[in-house]
Amino acid sequence: MSAEEDFKQVGAELADLGVGISRMMGSPALKDQAGKVFASLQRDGAMVFRLVRDTSEHTAALQLPGASPFDPSGQGRAVKDWVVVPHSSAEKWTDLAEAALSRPR
């Protein structure tokens, strides 16, 4: 499946938890019931998740092959708590999205 199809599948799997698919800055995004974004699909097919730094989920996500802290500027300024996970680890996306959804924002 394509990254967009996998992203939509994650959204569908979390719909019962009140998750909706929307857009943020032109990219598809997952929002909680309060309208807060907790995950987003990037143009390169990777997905970025808001995982609280220093948690087991954050650490595990960064250990996935090709994963990295989210640096939207590309200038070495990672955004706190956000982790980029490539499409090659799409089988982990639902678990990571559930973890991101369960963390306070």
Side-chain angles (χ1 to χ4, degrees), residues 2 6 12 19 22 27 30 32 36 40 56 65 78-79 88 92 95 99 102-103 105:
S2 72
D6 284 331
V19 171
S22 186
S27 295
L30 297 178
D32 64 15
K36 302 272 185 178
S40 179
S56 59
V79 179
S88 59
K92 303 286 187 189
D95 291 339
S102 71
R103 294 294 181 183
R105 285 173 264 315

Side-chain angles (χ1 to χ4, degrees), residues 25 29 31 33 45 49-50 62-63 66 70 73 88 95 98:
M25 297 184 188
K31 292 185 177 181
Q33 290 179 344
F49 301 91
R50 185 183 182 278
L62 285 173
Q63 292 175 350
F70 182 46
S73 70
S88 59
D95 291 339
E98 287 176 342

Side-chain angles (χ1 to χ4, degrees), residues 77-99:
R77 295 182 295 211
V79 179
K80 179 184 170 186
D81 298 333
W82 290 81
V83 177
V84 178
V85 178
H87 187 235
S88 59
S89 292
E91 75 280 356
K92 303 286 187 189
W93 284 3
T94 299
D95 291 339
L96 292 169
E98 287 176 342

Side-chain angles (χ1 to χ4, degrees), residues 2-13 21 30 41 93:
S2 72
E4 189 165 337
E5 290 169 327
D6 284 331
F7 172 83
K8 288 178 182 177
Q9 181 176 338
V10 172
E13 290 175 12
I21 295 177
L30 297 178
L41 183 66
W93 284 3

Side-chain angles (χ1 to χ4, degrees), residues 12-63:
E13 290 175 12
L14 299 180
D16 288 346
L17 300 174
V19 171
I21 295 177
S22 186
R23 295 193 80 74
M24 180 182 77
M25 297 184 188
S27 295
L30 297 178
K31 292 185 177 181
D32 64 15
Q33 290 179 344
K36 302 272 185 178
V37 172
F38 63 91
S40 179
L41 183 66
Q42 303 302 291
R43 287 183 175 88
D44 66 358
M47 198 160 163
V48 62
F49 301 91
R50 185 183 182 278
L51 300 166
V52 177
R53 194 173 11 174
D54 299 326
T55 62
S56 59
E57 295 92 350
H58 189 271
T59 301
L62 285 173
Q63 292 175 350

